Amino acid sequence: MSRVVVDVVLKPEISDPQGQAVLGALGRLGHDSITSVRQGKHFVLEVDGTPDEAELKQIAETLLANPVIEDVELHVTTD
């Protein structure tokens, strides 16, 4: 069994209002060393057999993310 972690974040050129809200709250709480926050999504998929990276990338880009405004990172681990 393999585990695939898919991280989805907004592209750098896309405004991130949730990230800005968190950054503002961190500043109000005294955490001034944090200079940027980007909000995203985190998916964990369990795959039987050897994962097909091309298939996983297609799944991530067509179902889990909007490739026009979001970037996808795949991390595959095997147990």
Side-chain angles (χ1 to χ4, degrees):
M1 176 96 38
S2 298
R3 178 172 286 168
V4 179
V5 175
V6 182
D7 289 319
V8 180
V9 294
L10 290 170
K11 292 184 177 194
E13 61 271 15
I14 302 298
S15 176
D16 184 356
Q18 287 181 307
Q20 289 299 313
V22 171
L23 182 62
L26 288 168
R28 288 188 298 279
L29 292 171
H31 303 287
D32 298 325
S33 63
I34 309 299
T35 60
S36 178
V37 176
R38 300 292 289 175
Q39 175 269 335
K41 298 179 276 190
H42 179 84
F43 299 92
V44 179
L45 311 174
E46 292 187 358
V47 181
D48 283 331
T50 303
D52 179 339
E53 197 160 335
E55 179 185 22
L56 292 168
K57 186 169 178 68
Q58 179 186 21
I59 290 168
E61 291 180 347
T62 59
L63 179 63
L64 304 179
N66 177 347
V68 173
I69 62 169
E70 295 173 314
D71 287 328
V72 173
E73 286 186 19
L74 296 174
H75 308 278
V76 180
T77 61
T78 54
D79 295 341

